[in-house]
Amino acid sequence: MDIRGSICALATPFGSDGALDLDAFARLLDYQIAGGTQAVVVAGSTGEAHMLEHAEFDQLLAFAVRHVAGSMAVIAGTGEAGTAKTVALTRRAAELGADAALVVTPYYVRPTQEGLRRHFIEVADKGDLPVILYNVPGRTGCDMLPETVAVLRDHPRIVGIKEARADGERIRAMAKLVRADFVYLSGDDGTARQAMLAGAAGTISVVANLVPGVFRELCDAAVAGQADVAEQVDARLSPLVDALNGAPNPIAVKAGLPLLGLGTAVPRLPLVELADGAVRQEIHRALARLVPLAVAA
């Protein structure tokens, strides 16, 4: 299993009636394959995991596994607020053919560092899949410290971390934890170049939904240590990354999907579709500079 390079945190396309749109999901997967994406995350935060019914999670993950047919790793988002629920969902993902689980720190409940250690050990022991830790304190209200990660990486089933804190100090601390059996993946598009040049093996990206080919260029250059090339590609991507930061994820990235013929912009409540206005216009302009658009804005 390769969990390096350009990894897309897939959006989940819904039809105008709010139901899963598997035809659009197939187009999105094909777009990722054509763009050189090296792995995909299904039912992560970008995929509105917590808005999916259990049957929809099963349907979406099984569809992705069948559709990519071994051409790339399929990583399932299985993190829940409770440990037992996380173990159960991780085991279900294993049954459906996922290659690994992306497990976010428990949200809302605000566990201690010891609670986090015990939570992830339990999931790794009982979940039947390799585990990628996921730290995104801006969403969860919980920050897993590097010292805790340093302990967890000794578990044979804990294979890496997606770290979404974007400050330089955290990037440097995560880079020091890298070893042959444990990878560091950036979880922030805006600082992905910096993280990969510092030692991250790749990035689990939101913007790759819309521009997988360009994002693969960035990852290839940065992971190879080609700082000048990576800086040039990053400069091309920055206007789109900035535009997508104009609304909470995945509201903004879903607004770009119709422009590429990859589905509707509809999220599920309590998320609402991006309103017409400056942010939507900037997404259109930035995206049009990078890839051909399928439809007019």
Side-chain angles (χ1 to χ4, degrees):
M1 180 187 64
D2 191 0
I3 51 169
R4 297 173 180 271
S6 181
I7 303 171
C8 182
L10 292 170
T12 300
F14 301 121
S16 56
D17 61 355
L20 287 181
D21 186 345
L22 292 179
D23 289 339
F25 192 52
R27 294 195 299 275
L28 180 59
L29 286 166
D30 289 339
Y31 186 54
Q32 296 304 313
I33 293 169
T37 294
Q38 291 158 282
V40 291
V41 175
V42 176
S45 54
T46 304
E48 298 174 74
H50 302 294
M51 284 72 150
L52 298 175
E53 301 293 337
H54 292 303
E56 291 175 324
F57 174 89
D58 288 6
Q59 189 178 14
L60 199 67
L61 181 55
F63 185 93
V65 169
R66 288 194 306 270
H67 196 84
V68 305
S71 63
M72 64 175 74
V74 176
I75 303 164
T78 63
E80 296 281 355
T83 302
K85 287 184 175 181
T86 303
V87 169
L89 192 58
T90 303
R91 295 183 72 169
R92 181 59 180 153
E95 293 169 358
L96 293 166
D99 296 293
L102 180 65
V103 182
V104 72
T105 55
Y107 44 87
Y108 185 75
V109 294
R110 300 177 66 191
T112 63
Q113 296 300 303
E114 175 60 13
L116 289 171
R117 185 192 69 81
R118 291 170 63 178
H119 170 79
F120 282 109
I121 293 294
E122 186 87 354
V123 176
D125 280 345
K126 299 179 179 179
D128 295 339
L129 279 176
V131 170
I132 303 166
L133 312 171
Y134 179 15
N135 189 49
V136 55
R139 281 185 173 267
T140 63
C142 169
D143 186 14
M144 183 161 55
L145 300 179
E147 306 89 86
T148 304
V149 178
V151 173
L152 288 170
R153 69 179 175 157
D154 288 333
H155 194 289
R157 269 201 184 143
I158 296 178
V159 298
I161 182 168
K162 175 186 177 182
E163 173 59 71
R165 271 195 56 169
D167 60 277
E169 182 179 353
R170 180 57 60 90
I171 288 171
R172 290 188 292 273
M174 285 296 110
K176 290 178 182 177
L177 298 178
V178 170
R179 60 189 189 191
D181 60 350
F182 186 85
V183 299
Y184 159 37
L185 301 167
S186 170
D188 176 71
D189 286 332
T191 56
R193 172 177 62 93
Q194 179 185 353
M196 288 185 285
L197 289 172
T203 302
I204 298 181
S205 168
V206 175
V207 72
N209 278 278
L210 304 179
V211 288
V214 184
F215 200 78
R216 173 67 188 268
E217 289 180 46
L218 173 67
C219 291
D220 284 352
V223 170
Q226 298 171 347
D228 290 345
V229 176
E231 183 175 8
Q232 292 168 11
V233 181
D234 197 36
R236 290 165 55 204
L237 278 168
S238 288
L240 180 58
V241 172
D242 291 343
L244 295 181
N245 284 332
N249 184 43
I251 292 172
V253 73
K254 293 196 90 167
L257 295 180
L259 299 175
L260 300 169
L262 298 175
T264 73
V266 178
R268 280 186 176 169
L269 288 171
L271 302 180
V272 295
E273 188 171 342
L274 184 66
D276 289 334
V279 174
R280 186 181 281 274
Q281 292 168 8
E282 188 53 40
I283 291 169
H284 175 260
R285 285 194 294 267
L287 189 55
R289 295 186 195 110
L290 294 170
V291 292
L293 300 187
V295 296

